[in-house]
């Protein structure tokens, strides 16, 4: 028996005339990902991609695991492929459905006949297969409204496809279909989750991280790089910009009122991100900010940070609480790395009493006490870039 995978589109299925562009992107993303697993053939029909292993070494279960993390996929189904002969399907279905029906109380059959030359209608197929399932699994009952398991048979040009398990896909839009954005990635719990959420909307997510050695350690940087590597599971390849931020932070410390340290620092981070966006073609900045989480994320503080941005700032976590964010972080596999205890540059020189209601006028005045612009240019000229490739060794650029 041959087993293949059917991939059903998520939101792409709703697209109009430009649907094919999205389909091509999704298929390319899938191909790139599965290349690491084996040799697979692809065919596309009616909002479905059929993926077939081309040799013994190309494992279908491994492919399913990888597919679960690809945005743009609504559902994934493994199927057994039989000759287009109802007798053959009936003979073998007991064996193939054993795992799926084990422990189930009810089932129903859904038949679809794409090949209209097949001698039975869909209701006739459903009847015959239903009887065969009952013969093989005498304890199970039929429930056409709310079954535990739906057994599906599709008659297509080149075979009969039988499946019983439908796995929910990662949803969203194919990475790359919405353009690219720059994620401000710290070592915390929030920002990797923010990156995941925007990759889900079809953005290529590249990362920018600010370091302040010797106040922040090499291990803190390694931790953020590990997060980047972990994020490639969902986001695909990631460019990582590492910006030296020590001199800027020291200048803030020496020249600005302490109560504004964090907001000014965040604004300078954003100003650096602006320039990288302009230079390398990013259309937005992403942050892991969540309203009211800390003093720098009150409405007035976010307003001051936002005023420094020359690009749309996406804050997908803005309305989520820490428990929800943490749950997602566990789900996407970044939590354990995020909670490693190394310091972030935000915690260096953090004020004892930060202003929770800063005024932009005061902030601008404080910033004008020093020539930050030339420091920003210097930091950018000293920025290093690496490329993290999904499932591959890190590339240094
Ligand atoms: P996180 O869990 O993402 O670190 P947080 O709750 O600790 O967030 P802050 O430290 O106030 O919040 O940072 C808010 C946001 O600013 C982060 O989500 C991130 O987008 C950005 N940020 C903070 N520090 C850095 C850094 N060193 N490099 C890049 N971005 C940063
Ligand atoms: Mg942080």
């Amino acid at each position: 028996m041959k087993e293949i995978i059917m991939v059903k589109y998520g939101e792409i299925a709703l697209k109009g005339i430009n649907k094919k562009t999205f389909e091509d992107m999704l298929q390319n993303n899938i191909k790139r990902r599965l290349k690491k697993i084996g040799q697979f053939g692809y065919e596309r029909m009616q909002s479905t991609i059929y993926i077939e292993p081309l040799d013994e070494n190309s494992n279908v279960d491994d492919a399913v695991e990888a597919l679960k993390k690809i945005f743009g996929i609504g559902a994934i189904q493994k199927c057994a492929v039989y000759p287009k002969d109802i007798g053959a399907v009936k003979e073998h279905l007991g064996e193939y459905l054993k795992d799926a029906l084990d422990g189930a109380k009810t089932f129903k059959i859904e038949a679809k006949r794409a090949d209209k030359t097949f001698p039975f209608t869909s209701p006739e197929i459903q009847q015959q297969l239903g009887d065969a399932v009952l013969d093989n699994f005498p304890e199970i009952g039929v429930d056409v409204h709310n079954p535990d398991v739906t057994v599906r048979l599709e008659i297509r040009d080149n075979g009969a496809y039988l499946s019983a398990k439908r796995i929910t896909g990662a949803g969203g839009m194919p990475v790359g279909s919405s353009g690219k954005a720059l994620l401000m990635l710290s070592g915390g719990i929030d920002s990797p989750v923010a990156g995941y959420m925007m990759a889900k909307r079809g953005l290529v997510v590249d990362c920018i991280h600010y370091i302040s050695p010797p106040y922040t350690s090499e291990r803190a940087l390694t931790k953020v790089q590990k997060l980047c590597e972990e994020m490639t599971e969902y986001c695909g390849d990631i460019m990582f910009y590492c910006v030296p931020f020590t001199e800027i932070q020291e200048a803030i410390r020496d020249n600005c009122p302490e109560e504004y340290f964090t907001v000014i620092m965040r604004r300078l981070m954003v100003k650096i991100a602006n320039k990288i966006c302009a230079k390398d073609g990013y259309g937005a900045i992403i942050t892991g900010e969540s309203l009211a989480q800390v003093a720098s994320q009150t409405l007035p503080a976010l307003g001051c940070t936002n005023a420094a941005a020359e690009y749309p700032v996406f804050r997908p976590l803005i309305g989520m609480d820490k428990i929800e964010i943490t749950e997602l972080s566990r789900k996407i596999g970044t939590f354990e790395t995020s909670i490693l205890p190394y310091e972030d540059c935000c915690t260096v020189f953090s004020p004892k009493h930060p202003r929770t209601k800063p005024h932009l006028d005061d902030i601008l005045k404080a910033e004008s006490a020093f020539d930050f612009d030339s420091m920003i240019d210097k930091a950018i000229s000293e920025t290093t870039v690496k490329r993290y490739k999904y499932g591959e060794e890190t590339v240094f650029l």
Side-chain angles (χ1 to χ4, degrees), residues 143-277:
D143 181 346
V144 291
H145 300 297
N146 201 9
D148 292 341
V149 178
T150 301
V151 175
R152 296 179 170 86
L153 187 77
E154 261 188 48
I155 307 291
R156 302 187 52 224
D157 286 344
N158 43 4
Y161 294 67
L162 181 74
S163 70
K165 269 192 200 155
R166 181 174 277 190
I167 300 163
T168 306
M173 297 296 295
V175 168
S177 63
S178 299
K180 62 177 191 172
L182 193 58
L183 167 69
M184 289 173 50
L185 179 68
S186 65
I189 294 172
D190 304 332
S191 40
V193 176
Y196 162 89
M197 286 180 71
M198 295 322 299
K200 185 170 182 178
R201 295 313 305 156
L203 284 171
V204 165
V205 173
D206 288 338
C207 297
I208 185 164
H209 176 66
Y210 306 84
I211 51 166
S212 296
Y215 306 105
T216 60
S217 65
E218 191 61 34
R219 286 200 299 186
L221 174 60
T222 310
K223 163 183 168 176
V224 176
Q225 291 171 323
K226 180 141 188 276
L227 285 172
C228 242
E229 249 165 44
E230 289 167 353
M231 287 174 66
T232 62
E233 293 263 329
Y234 286 95
C235 300
D237 298 355
I238 292 177
M239 294 286 260
F240 177 77
Y241 297 80
C242 186
V243 186
F245 205 58
T246 315
E247 285 180 25
I248 291 179
Q249 276 198 294
E250 286 174 340
I252 298 172
R253 178 195 60 191
D254 297 341
N255 296 280
C256 302
E258 185 184 326
E259 57 185 355
Y260 294 140
F261 279 2
T262 312
V263 173
I264 291 178
M265 182 192 67
R266 195 60 44 72
R267 281 172 50 84
L268 291 170
M269 286 180 173
V270 169
K271 285 185 180 188
I272 291 173
N274 285 334
K275 294 208 168 185
I276 305 265
C277 286

Side-chain angles (χ1 to χ4, degrees), residues 87-196:
V89 178
K90 280 160 52 179
E91 185 184 334
H92 295 290
L93 62 66
E95 190 191 332
Y96 188 64
L97 297 178
K98 213 163 46 209
D99 282 349
L101 293 183
D102 192 29
K105 291 199 173 60
T106 56
F107 80 103
K108 81 165 178 183
I109 308 274
E110 253 178 40
K112 214 158 98 187
R113 196 173 52 132
D115 171 9
K116 300 293 179 203
T117 64
F118 193 71
F120 300 100
T121 63
S122 297
E124 284 167 353
I125 300 171
Q126 282 165 198
Q127 182 64 51
Q128 294 210 33
L129 290 197
D131 290 345
V133 169
L134 291 169
D135 286 346
N136 279 278
F137 305 93
E139 303 89 61
I140 203 167
V142 175
D143 181 346
V144 291
H145 300 297
N146 201 9
D148 292 341
V149 178
T150 301
V151 175
R152 296 179 170 86
L153 187 77
E154 261 188 48
I155 307 291
R156 302 187 52 224
D157 286 344
N158 43 4
Y161 294 67
L162 181 74
S163 70
K165 269 192 200 155
R166 181 174 277 190
I167 300 163
T168 306
M173 297 296 295
V175 168
S177 63
S178 299
K180 62 177 191 172
L182 193 58
L183 167 69
M184 289 173 50
L185 179 68
S186 65
I189 294 172
D190 304 332
S191 40
V193 176
Y196 162 89

Side-chain angles (χ1 to χ4, degrees), residues 347-386:
T347 50
V348 180
F349 315 137
S350 97
K352 277 191 211 67
H353 302 291
R355 270 290 266 271
T356 53
K357 291 182 184 156
H359 289 286
L360 186 57
D361 289 348
D362 297 336
I363 301 266
L364 292 174
K365 207 163 118 215
E367 284 176 2
S368 68
F370 196 79
D371 177 18
F372 285 111
D373 286 343
S374 59
M375 293 194 103
I376 287 175
D377 290 338
K378 180 161 180 276
I380 290 175
S381 72
E382 290 168 0
T383 293
T384 57
V385 187
K386 271 186 205 178

Side-chain angles (χ1 to χ4, degrees), residues 22-33:
F22 291 100
E23 292 178 327
D24 289 345
M25 276 197 176
L26 176 60
Q27 186 166 329
N28 283 336
N29 289 355
I30 292 174
K31 274 186 176 170
R32 212 173 306 132
R33 213 58 81 84

Side-chain angles (χ1 to χ4, degrees), residues 186-188 344 346:
S186 65
D344 179 62
C346 288

Side-chain angles (χ1 to χ4, degrees), residues 255-322:
N255 296 280
C256 302
E258 185 184 326
E259 57 185 355
Y260 294 140
F261 279 2
T262 312
V263 173
I264 291 178
M265 182 192 67
R266 195 60 44 72
R267 281 172 50 84
L268 291 170
M269 286 180 173
V270 169
K271 285 185 180 188
I272 291 173
N274 285 334
K275 294 208 168 185
I276 305 265
C277 286
K279 181 167 76 73
D280 292 344
Y282 296 98
I285 296 167
I286 304 167
T287 78
E289 289 160 319
S290 163
L291 187 62
Q293 196 187 75
V294 286
S296 59
Q297 295 171 32
T298 62
L299 187 54
L302 286 173
C304 290
T305 308
N306 214 59
E310 289 164 15
Y311 289 81
V313 180
F314 294 155
R315 299 180 174 90
L317 313 185
I318 199 73
M320 290 169 75
D321 65 29
K322 199 76 190 184

